[in-house]
């Protein structure tokens, strides 16, 4: 019969020490893996948000700056009421420019903000102004709303025609729209005033030429129909 000899006690202690050392090394390796992962997280930050999600905040910031600069240029200018209808039209035009990579007051198929406004509100008449601009951005970097809003407004202020358009004292409504593609942000600001004219369809505003007695001779003269929107506009880019 074979007997299994037990290891002497003096060998048990070194084996236990080896096991403890192996466990410590395993913990150290795991800790190192965790540290490396944390360093990689710092070196490789998460990607920036989709630029399209930033456009509403950019529109709002530009609207605020336009109102502030307008009052700074001419404290007597009418305060602006920001109009959702004008903003919707401005946004549609800005998004069209971004999608088709152009910058102009009319789209390649001839669509204009004035035409869109008349399609939305056929009763409107008066003055419609617009400023448009484009700014490049780096796709891998987040879009800083304050920085880009300031760039757009400063671009307009640096041009006499843009600045005069923003500061035109009779404007009392405005809208801002922004569109973005892979490397460029497009913005349109629309400003309007009815100039005190009654809207189309108003009983006080005949839509066709109407005989009106002359105050001096008493003879009937023809009163012209109300004018269509008059467009003031400027465009610019960095």
């Amino acid at each position: 019969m074979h007997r299994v000899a037990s290891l002497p006690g003096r060998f048990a202690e070194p084996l236990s020490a080896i096991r403890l050392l192996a466990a410590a090394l395993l913990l150290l390796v795991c800790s190192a893996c965790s540290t490396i992962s944390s360093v990689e997280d710092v070196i490789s930050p998460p990607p920036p948000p989709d630029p399209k999600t930033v456009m509403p905040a950019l529109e709002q910031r530009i609207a605020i700056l336009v109102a502030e600069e307008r009052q700074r240029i001419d404290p007597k200018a009418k305060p602006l009421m920001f109009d959702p209808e004008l903003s919707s039209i401005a946004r549609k035009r800005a998004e069209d420019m971004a999608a088709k990579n152009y910058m102009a007051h009319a789209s390649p198929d001839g669509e204009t903000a004035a035409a869109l406004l008349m399609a939305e509100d056929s009763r409107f008449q008066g003055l419609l102004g617009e400023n448009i601009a484009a700014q490049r951005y780096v796709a891998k970097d987040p879009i800083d709303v304050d920085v880009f809003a300031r760039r757009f407004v400063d671009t307009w202020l640096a041009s006499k025609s843009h600045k005069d358009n923003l500061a035109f004292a009779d404007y009392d409504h405005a809208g801002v729209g922004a569109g973005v593609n892979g490397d460029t942000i497009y913005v349109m600001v629309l400003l309007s005033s009815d100039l005190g004219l009654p809207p189309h369809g108003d009983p006080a505003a005949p839509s066709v030429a109407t005989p009106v007695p002359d105050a001096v001779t008493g003879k009937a003269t023809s009163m012209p129909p109300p004018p269509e929107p008059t467009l003031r506009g400027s465009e610019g880019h960095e």
Side-chain angles (χ1 to χ4, degrees):
M1 185 172 99
H2 296 285
R3 295 182 179 179
V4 178
S6 60
L7 290 172
R10 65 177 178 272
F11 292 112
E13 290 181 5
L15 287 176
S16 298
I18 291 171
R19 292 192 186 99
L20 288 174
L21 179 61
L25 288 172
L26 180 60
L27 288 173
L28 181 61
V29 169
C30 291
S31 175
C33 290
S34 176
T35 302
I36 291 171
S37 176
S38 299
V39 170
E40 287 177 348
D41 289 342
V42 173
I43 295 174
S44 303
D50 183 347
K52 291 183 180 179
T53 65
V54 182
M55 293 302 101
L58 181 64
E59 293 172 352
Q60 292 176 12
R61 185 60 184 148
I62 290 173
I64 292 171
L65 291 176
V66 165
E68 290 176 351
E69 291 297 334
R70 176 181 165 82
Q71 289 298 307
R72 184 183 63 80
I73 296 168
D74 183 0
K76 295 181 180 179
K78 291 181 180 178
L80 293 175
M81 178 181 296
F82 281 87
D83 188 324
E85 183 178 59
L86 289 179
S87 290
S88 176
I89 293 169
R91 188 174 303 116
K92 183 174 182 179
R93 290 284 297 113
E95 290 176 347
D96 189 71
M97 288 189 285
K100 299 174 183 175
N101 291 300
Y102 73 94
M103 190 175 68
H105 292 297
S107 70
D109 60 4
E111 185 179 69
T112 64
L116 291 174
L117 177 58
M118 290 303 295
E120 291 285 334
D121 183 6
S122 62
R123 291 164 56 86
F124 177 82
Q125 62 176 345
L127 189 65
L128 180 67
E130 66 180 45
N131 276 6
I132 60 177
Q135 295 279 345
R136 297 275 187 177
Y137 76 99
V138 179
K140 67 181 180 63
D141 295 335
I143 294 172
D144 188 313
V145 168
D146 287 331
V147 169
F148 274 84
R150 188 75 256 178
R151 283 183 190 172
F152 276 106
V153 175
D154 284 348
T155 297
W156 291 323
L157 294 176
S159 163
K160 186 178 186 306
S161 60
H162 291 77
K163 184 176 179 179
D164 289 347
N165 208 25
L166 289 180
F168 188 71
D170 283 334
Y171 290 142
D172 53 12
H173 283 70
V176 180
V180 63
N181 57 27
D183 61 5
T184 307
I185 303 170
Y186 295 83
V187 170
M188 173 176 281
V189 174
L190 285 178
L191 306 110
S192 73
S193 170
D194 60 15
L195 299 175
L197 298 171
H200 286 304
D202 191 300
S207 58
V208 295
T210 306
V212 179
D214 185 275
V216 178
T217 65
K219 294 180 180 181
T221 58
S222 182
M223 180 179 180
E228 294 297 319
T230 301
L231 178 66
R232 292 168 54 97
S234 295
E235 60 189 61
H237 58 89
E238 185 177 45

